[in-house]
Amino acid sequence: MAHRFPITVFYEDTDMAGIVYYANYLRYIERARSTIVEEMGVDQNAMRANGIVFAITRVEADYIGAARLGDRLDVVTTHQAASPARWTFDQEVRRGDDLIFRAHVVAVCMTTAGKPTRLPAEIRAMIGK
């Protein structure tokens, strides 16, 4: 099932041309992913206290259109476990029916020492791996 996360474009999000600065799309999709994790009941602070964190290892991004000041956008996200340690996200930024941006994001579960590790069992159960 797709998750929707609303975004409003503020002045601070735009460049001199009045369009959303390209790096802000990455911020938008990060907020959406963080919200999904939180809504699933995953406590990332508790995970970190137990020595486990998520790290993004790959982002493939396509800039298709332009969002502008005042636009109301939705980040639409689907996600799945790609392996016992990887969680993938397909994300789109839309203005109504118009596709503005899309990305494929790979997150890995790792120890705070930087070594890959399995996703916690409760997360694997929620996302199907």
Side-chain angles (χ1 to χ4, degrees):
M1 178 188 331
H3 178 273
R4 290 193 174 275
F5 181 78
I7 296 281
T8 299
V9 176
F10 294 105
Y11 182 78
E12 68 184 14
D13 297 325
T14 61
D15 61 16
M16 290 187 67
I19 61 174
V20 171
Y21 180 66
Y22 78 96
N24 285 330
Y25 292 100
L26 299 176
R27 297 176 80 185
Y28 297 163
I29 65 175
E30 172 65 31
R31 291 175 194 164
R33 287 192 312 276
S34 294
T35 300
I36 289 168
V37 171
E38 181 182 328
E39 288 177 358
M40 291 173 64
V42 176
D43 183 342
Q44 291 189 76
N45 287 320
M47 282 180 59
R48 187 176 56 243
N50 289 321
I52 298 173
V53 295
F54 294 114
I56 301 301
T57 60
R58 182 177 182 89
V59 176
E60 295 174 37
D62 297 308
Y63 296 85
I64 298 156
R68 299 183 184 284
L69 177 65
D71 281 353
R72 306 261 188 222
L73 309 173
D74 283 306
V75 179
V76 181
T77 305
T78 58
H79 58 95
Q80 65 183 9
S83 76
R86 288 186 307 156
W87 194 354
T88 62
F89 299 81
D90 290 303
Q91 298 185 273
E92 297 179 344
V93 176
R94 296 187 158 274
R95 181 182 50 238
D97 292 332
D98 296 332
L99 179 62
I100 305 293
F101 172 88
R102 76 174 152 230
H104 176 75
V105 180
V106 179
V108 297
C109 195
M110 59 192 297
T111 67
T112 51
K115 297 191 184 232
T117 190
R118 293 173 66 89
L119 291 159
E122 62 275 8
I123 295 174
R124 287 194 320 270
M126 287 186 270
I127 61 177
K129 200 56 157 180

